[in-house]
């Protein structure tokens, strides 16, 4: 950092620093379910559902498109999976001291009361909000036209046409009966590429969604983008080619002048003012764990778990149906995204981790095609079981699968490591979440299908190999992501992690630190702070350089995620 920058930091007021240096910085933090975008000087980003619904013309003499682009990737749970799910439920029930799955509650002599509410005024509260189907048509004005047969001019008129594209939550509320195809370009922490969803389509959809947000939410039009720089805060689950494609989207297609990439876990630690932490990011579809030491991410500690908040939501529905507390309505979050929106609201409002029987009366809605929304009042039970699936993931019995491993993700160049960081990373292979399918290479990012959250945290921290660092990390666990706000989760993580530590390890204390920022966007906030304090900008890539040459191994401008710069900035931030 230059002498001028150091003097500037000593005298400037923080609000002035943020206002001056953050006004032309746009922070983009994409996830599987949501993308958070905003100016670096904003306190809160815009959070938009990461999806798009595209209109298609129905064919009268041929097959129509499926409403869900990736519907073929979903499948019903197998009998064995259902058996494992029921066993996991009973294990959780024993820990929480509640009745087993097929055991009646002691005070329950009658079935739960359920009833339809024909006239219902929603109460104040997120869970009682009623979603409505998106209006897929818009008014289009027709200019005056000449009638050649009568030599008269027909007046202007209006007609209703289908909207070409629909973004965000409105896309999820499009009725499956409408002539639209719903696409989700990122799924389970990866580009959602399959036989039915090409790489080109995925990129086009990401470009369209992000361009819409930049234009409609931030009011930055394409012609003005060269005056702005972009900070990409990316989850650890992304592979190197995906990172490069996102850089191309930001620089080539969205036309930002410069861009830089920062890791989500590292940005989260910075957003909370921590230099050393074990960052646990519980997102909608993926959970990741990574350890940070003195402002430097340790890549070898990175683990990803293929479940998140949406799996808890589906488990919530399964538990209610299995215990016969759900009304007799057709609720299918896999095929009707509007049902997933409703169920997410219920899960966020009512689910928490606590001992003992935990029931609640709630209002649920039925969304059926070509019918008005009906509202039902019901008693929900075992509301403390679904979030415990984070520790016993077999209860999730995945019905929604990520795309299979593909050689497309292989890339010899690692975008987030450099040779001086090899003491942590081992061989620089550039492999990602699918490393287990290529055992010939050492792994950097590990994926576990049936490992619970507590075991993943313990494995990540113990892999550092140093007792002094391990003790510090076990007392500096940071929970981020939307699920981190679940009541009782902090105490459950502390208890389960402590019990998961092997008895031969000299560790007797576990602590989860309270987040200084909202857990759902603390990574976005950290990315904004890093960008504002990064005076040198040595790791930033210019649009012309990227388009003409790319960044190649051995070149003078090889791109790297600037661990060192962030470590320096951390010192200034904490000073």
């Amino acid at each position: 950092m230059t002498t001028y920058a150091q003097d500037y930091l000593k005298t400037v007021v923080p609000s002035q620093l943020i206002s001056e240096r953050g006004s032309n910085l746009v922070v983009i933090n994409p996830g599987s379910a949501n993308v958070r975008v905003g100016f670096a000087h904003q306190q809160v980003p815009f959070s938009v559902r990461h999806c798009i619904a595209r209109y298609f013309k129905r064919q009268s003499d041929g097959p129509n498109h499926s409403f869900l682009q990736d519907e073929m990737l979903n499948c019903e749970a197998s009998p064995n999976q259902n058996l494992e799910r029921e066993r996991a439920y009973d294990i959780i029930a024993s820990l929480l001291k509640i009745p087993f799955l097929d055991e009646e509650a002691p005070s329950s002599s009658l079935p739960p009361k359920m009833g339809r509410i024909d006239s219902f005024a929603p109460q104040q509260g997120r869970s009682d909000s009623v979603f409505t189907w998106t209006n897929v048509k818009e008014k289009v004005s027709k200019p005056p036209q000449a009638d050649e047969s009568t030599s008269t001019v027909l007046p202007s008129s209006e007609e209703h046409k289908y909207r070409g594209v629909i973004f965000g939550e409105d896309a999820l509320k499009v009725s499956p009966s409408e002539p639209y195809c719903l696409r989700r370009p990122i799924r389970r922490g990866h580009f959602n590429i399959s036989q039915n969803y090409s790489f080109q389509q995925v990129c086009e959809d990401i470009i369209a969604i992000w361009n819409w947000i930049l234009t409609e939410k931030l009011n930055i039009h394409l012609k003005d983008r060269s005056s702005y720089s972009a900070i990409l805060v990316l989850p650890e689950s992304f592979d190197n080619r995906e990172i490069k494609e996102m850089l191309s989207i930001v620089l080539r297609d969205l036309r930002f002048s410069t861009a830089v990439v920062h890791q989500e876990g590292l940005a989260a630690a910075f957003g909370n003012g921590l230099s050393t932490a074990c960052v646990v990011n519980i997102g909608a579809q993926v959970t990741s764990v990574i350890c940070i030491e003195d402002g430097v991410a340790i890549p070898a500690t990175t683990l990803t778990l293929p479940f998140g908040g949406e799996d808890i939501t589906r488990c919530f529905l399964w538990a209610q149906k299995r215990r016969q507390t759900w009304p007799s309505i057709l609720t299918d979050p896999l095929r009707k995204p509007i049902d997933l929106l409703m169920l997410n609201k219920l899960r966020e409002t009512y689910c928490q981790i606590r001992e003992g029987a935990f029931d609640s009366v709630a209002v649920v809605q039925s969304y059926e095609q070509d019918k008005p929304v009906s509202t039902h009042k019901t008693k929900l039970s075992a509301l403390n079981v679904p979030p415990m699936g984070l520790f016993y993931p077999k209860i999730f019995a995945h019905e929604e699968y990520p795309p299979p491993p593909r050689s497309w993700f292989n890339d010899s160049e690692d975008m987030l490591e450099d040779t001086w960081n090899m003491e942590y990373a081992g061989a620089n292979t550039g492999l990602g979440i699918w490393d287990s399918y290529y055992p010939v290479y050492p792994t950097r990012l590990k994926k576990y299908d049936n490992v619970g959250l507590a075991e993943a945290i313990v494995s990540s921290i113990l892999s550092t190999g140093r007792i002094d660092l391990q003790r510090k990390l076990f007392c500096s666990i940071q929970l981020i992501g939307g699920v981190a706000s679940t009541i009782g989760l902090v105490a459950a993580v502390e208890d389960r992690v402590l019990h998961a530590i092997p008895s031969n390890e000299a560790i007797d204390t576990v602590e989860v630190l309270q987040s200084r920022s909202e857990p759902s966007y603390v990574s976005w906030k950290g990315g904004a702070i890093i960008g504002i304090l990064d005076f040198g900008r040595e790791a930033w890539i210019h649009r012309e350089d990227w388009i003409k040459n790319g960044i190649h191994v051995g070149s003078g401008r090889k791109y790297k995620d600037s661990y060192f710069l962030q470590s320096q900035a951390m010192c200034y931030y904490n000073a």
Side-chain angles (χ1 to χ4, degrees):
M1 184 174 287
T2 64
T3 303
Y4 167 77
Q6 291 176 340
D7 294 340
Y8 175 73
L9 279 177
K10 291 177 182 178
T11 58
V12 71
V13 178
S15 59
Q16 179 187 353
L17 174 68
I18 294 172
S19 176
E20 289 179 356
R21 293 184 55 82
S23 59
N24 70 333
L25 295 178
V26 176
V27 185
I28 303 174
N29 177 210
S32 300
N34 301 283
V35 55
R36 289 156 288 274
V37 183
F39 292 109
H41 64 72
Q42 291 179 212
Q43 291 297 315
V44 179
F46 293 99
S47 183
V48 178
R49 290 285 179 175
H50 214 171
C51 58
I52 181 173
R54 292 187 180 271
Y55 169 75
F56 66 88
K57 192 173 182 179
R58 283 198 171 104
Q59 301 177 13
S60 58
D61 56 350
N64 286 321
H65 291 278
S66 170
F67 172 66
L68 299 177
Q69 183 79 28
D70 49 12
E71 184 175 2
M72 297 302 294
L73 297 177
N74 300 328
C75 64
E76 298 295 331
S78 68
N80 285 338
Q81 286 177 317
N82 279 323
L83 185 60
E84 289 181 342
R85 173 189 273 178
E86 293 173 355
R87 289 172 179 167
Y89 183 104
D90 287 343
I91 292 173
I92 295 171
S94 177
L95 291 171
L96 297 178
K97 299 180 174 60
I98 63 174
F100 293 138
L101 193 58
D102 294 318
E103 180 182 1
E104 285 288 340
S107 60
S108 177
S109 57
L110 296 173
K113 293 181 179 179
M114 291 181 280
R116 174 170 172 165
I117 304 173
D118 294 316
S119 178
F120 173 73
Q123 302 174 3
Q124 295 294 323
R126 295 164 59 194
S127 66
D128 294 331
S129 58
V130 179
F131 296 101
T132 57
W133 295 113
T134 296
N135 181 8
V136 297
K137 293 187 176 181
E138 59 185 351
K139 288 183 179 180
V140 178
S141 297
K142 296 179 65 175
Q145 294 180 344
D147 188 338
E148 296 180 357
S149 62
T150 59
S151 300
T152 59
V153 177
L154 299 176
S156 60
S157 61
E158 289 185 342
E159 64 177 356
H160 289 81
K161 286 188 175 182
Y162 284 106
R163 296 157 63 182
V165 289
I166 300 174
F167 299 96
E169 185 174 295
D170 282 346
L172 295 177
K173 296 188 295 183
V174 172
S175 170
S177 64
E178 298 288 359
Y180 283 83
C181 183
L182 179 67
R183 297 175 175 177
R184 290 171 279 205
I186 297 178
R187 177 164 166 157
R188 297 289 185 192
H190 278 290
F191 281 14
N192 190 14
I193 301 170
S194 68
Q195 288 183 331
N196 299 316
Y197 199 7
S198 70
F199 161 71
Q200 181 178 352
Q201 288 176 317
V202 167
C203 289
E204 287 175 352
D205 288 343
I206 293 175
I207 294 167
I209 295 168
W210 293 10
N211 185 66
W212 177 77
I213 297 171
L214 293 170
T215 303
E216 297 297 325
K217 304 294 185 182
L218 273 64
N219 198 30
I220 307 177
H221 297 275
L222 194 62
K223 61 182 177 63
D224 302 320
R225 304 257 172 89
S226 59
S227 302
Y228 295 85
S229 297
I231 302 169
L232 280 172
V233 181
L234 300 183
E236 284 74 16
S237 60
F238 283 134
D239 292 275
N240 298 309
R241 186 169 176 184
E242 291 170 317
I243 296 171
K244 292 178 182 179
E245 294 300 337
M246 290 207 175
L247 273 169
S248 292
I249 286 171
V250 165
L251 293 171
R252 179 194 63 211
D253 301 297
L254 300 179
R255 303 184 68 84
F256 282 94
S257 61
T258 58
V260 69
V261 174
H262 292 301
Q263 283 181 282
E264 197 171 54
L266 193 55
F270 201 86
N272 270 328
L274 301 174
S275 60
T276 299
C278 176
V279 180
V280 182
N281 186 354
I282 312 174
Q285 298 179 8
V286 173
T287 296
S288 64
V289 184
I290 188 171
C291 294
I292 313 295
E293 180 186 14
D294 295 333
V296 179
I298 308 175
T301 64
T302 306
L303 305 175
T304 60
L305 308 174
F307 52 76
E310 290 185 3
D311 299 284
I312 300 175
T313 295
R314 282 191 289 270
C315 179
F316 160 80
L317 176 63
W318 170 81
Q320 302 312 311
K321 288 184 175 181
R322 187 64 175 75
R323 295 192 65 83
Q324 299 181 358
T325 61
W326 196 252
S328 298
I329 58 178
L330 181 60
T331 306
D332 189 347
L334 291 180
R335 293 175 178 82
K336 282 194 298 176
I338 196 170
D339 283 344
L340 181 62
L341 290 175
M342 174 196 65
L343 291 168
N344 275 335
K345 291 290 187 183
L346 290 170
R347 185 257 301 172
E348 292 168 0
T349 303
Y350 294 105
C351 284
Q352 55 182 270
I353 298 178
R354 54 184 283 186
E355 283 191 0
F358 181 39
D359 303 336
S360 183
V361 175
V363 173
V364 303
Q365 291 84 37
S366 172
Y367 299 93
E368 297 187 31
Q369 301 174 23
D370 304 321
K371 292 183 180 180
V373 177
S374 60
T375 308
H376 306 258
K377 190 175 184 180
T378 183
K379 178 183 177 183
L380 305 175
S381 67
L383 293 167
N384 43 357
V385 171
M388 283 293 289
L390 294 171
F391 306 101
Y392 299 91
K394 287 187 177 180
I395 198 173
F396 292 145
H398 288 309
E399 293 152 328
E400 184 180 67
Y401 284 83
R406 303 176 297 278
S407 58
W408 184 87
F409 286 125
N410 284 338
D411 196 324
S412 60
E413 179 184 359
D414 197 322
M415 297 294 291
L416 295 178
E417 293 178 21
D418 209 336
T419 53
W420 54 269
N421 206 26
M422 297 287 283
E423 59 182 305
Y424 291 121
N428 188 6
T429 63
L431 299 180
I433 198 170
W434 301 112
D435 287 358
S436 57
Y437 291 92
Y438 305 95
V440 67
Y441 299 107
T443 60
R444 174 172 68 86
L445 188 63
K446 305 179 185 69
K447 172 176 174 285
Y448 295 93
D449 285 323
N450 293 312
V451 173
L453 182 60
E455 289 77 17
I457 294 172
V458 171
S459 176
S460 176
I461 294 177
L462 292 182
S463 69
T464 61
R466 290 165 37 206
I467 185 63
D468 59 328
L469 178 58
Q470 291 168 357
R471 287 174 174 168
K472 193 171 184 179
L473 290 169
F474 274 117
C475 290
S476 305
I477 297 174
Q478 179 184 358
L479 300 181
I480 66 172
V483 180
S485 300
T486 302
I487 296 174
L489 180 60
V490 168
V493 168
E494 291 176 340
D495 179 67
R496 302 311 304 169
V497 168
L498 184 61
H499 283 84
I501 299 173
S503 58
N504 61 335
E505 299 290 344
I507 308 290
D508 57 8
T509 305
V510 173
E511 182 179 357
V512 175
L513 301 180
Q514 183 176 0
S515 181
R516 299 182 187 179
S517 302
E518 168 61 38
S520 62
Y521 59 78
V522 65
S523 293
W524 178 91
K525 191 67 177 178
I529 294 171
I530 293 171
I532 290 172
L533 294 180
D534 187 357
F535 285 86
R537 294 202 171 186
E538 296 177 16
W540 290 68
I541 303 173
H542 293 265
R543 182 173 184 268
E544 295 78 10
D545 290 343
W546 184 259
I547 292 175
K548 292 178 181 178
N549 305 314
I551 306 296
H552 302 289
V553 176
S555 68
R557 290 289 306 278
K558 177 184 184 299
Y559 174 75
K560 65 183 178 184
D561 189 12
S562 183
Y563 297 105
F564 181 65
L565 285 176
Q566 293 179 47
S567 181
Q568 279 190 317
M570 183 78 72
C571 297
Y572 292 115
Y573 179 65
N574 290 330

